[in-house]
Amino acid sequence: MTVDVQPTHGTDRVITLTREENIEVDTIARYLAGRPPRQLDSTAWLATARELSSNLPVRLRQMLRRFTWDAGLDGVLLVRNLPVEPDDLPDTPSVAGSVQRESTVPAAAQVLIGLQLGELIAFREEKSGALVQDVVPVPGMEAFQGNAGSVMLSMHVENAFHMYRPDYVGLHCLRNDHDNVAGLQVASIRNALPMLPEAVRKVLHEPRFFTEPPASFGDLRSAPEPHGILGGSFDDPDIRIDFESSFPLDGEAEQAMAVLGDALRSARRTFVLEPGDLAFVDNRLALHGRTEFTPRYDGRDRWLQRIFVHRDFRRSRELRPEGGHVLGSAAPAPSAKGD
């Protein structure tokens, strides 16, 4: 079920695959999933995936290209009816840090689509640097503000503290919760901006805020630089904030952040994902979060798989050792070379 999905900027940002398109994606994904070494993080496997992604259904590729050109007012794209059979899946993982390393049909389909948006990336300190990560409830971590929790997840830009945060966050539903109430929440600055007075917008553009690494990065310590919450165009800005990890530096900045929070809550939309739904959130324009749900830990709990995508892969090269897909949080020191 999808809640409150509307066309934006004159373009529908939802595509439901036909039966024939579903079969096309399934055929390509099954072939890719079986290609050696059957490891999602393998350079050779990703090279094959990159080539095969050009064979996805034309209508799907057209929608993906349209989304990269303009993510619309909501900053989210929903691809529906991907090949997922919940009854054929293994039990939902229930351990902290769970990831998907071995190629499967759902993971292969998600990777194929993500590679039409850009290049997959991951962060060394988060989820052991895996490119495809499980978002599942973990016993004893219900109140955790991260992917292992089941309470309401605060609205945030993914890895807002990082200079090379993802451009897109892909969330692929393999199972929803038993009660079908867990919803992906998205709030776009494009929808919230008209609610912000000009004086507030000016403050939000100034470097009067800082953002710490989220809890999912463990014990990572950094000295965050002051930054603006809004950046770029004053009329169509990017946004950088995590309401759990971003903090104002003065009273006026605190008031501006509170006004922004109210506007984003008013602009928030909720998408209840079904198995086979893949949502891409434009991480430059929109925050995302999650509504509360009750896990049962019976092997059939909510299970999403997550990927991160960079449009410009080259810009993060300094943090990717040997040109791989996993970023550190600081550039390595240059090696000393003798004459």
Side-chain angles (χ1 to χ4, degrees), residues 28 31-32 35 47-56 112:
I28 300 168
Y31 176 77
L32 174 60
R35 297 295 296 168
T48 302
R50 195 174 295 111
E51 295 296 320
L52 289 175
S53 70
S54 299
N55 297 326
L56 289 169
L112 286 163

Side-chain angles (χ1 to χ4, degrees), residues 119-121 123 126 133 158-159 166 168 306-309:
E119 286 294 329
L120 272 63
I121 59 144
F123 297 86
E126 184 177 47
Q133 306 168 3
E158 193 70 35
N159 297 342
Y168 302 114
R306 181 178 69 180
I307 61 172
F308 300 145
V309 178

Side-chain angles (χ1 to χ4, degrees), residues 49-58 60-66 68 109-120 168 280 307 309-311:
R50 195 174 295 111
E51 295 296 320
L52 289 175
S53 70
S54 299
N55 297 326
L56 289 169
V58 171
L60 175 57
R61 284 186 281 122
Q62 289 172 336
M63 175 61 81
L64 293 166
R65 186 64 186 87
R66 192 178 307 147
T68 61
Q110 184 176 16
V111 169
L112 286 163
I113 295 171
L115 286 169
Q116 281 293 299
L117 294 174
E119 286 294 329
L120 272 63
Y168 302 114
F280 281 103
I307 61 172
V309 178
H310 268 172
R311 285 284 289 152

Side-chain angles (χ1 to χ4, degrees), residues 88-108:
D88 295 338
L89 297 173
D91 285 355
T92 298
S94 59
V95 295
S98 175
V99 299
Q100 183 73 46
R101 298 282 188 184
E102 184 177 351
S103 58
T104 63
V105 172

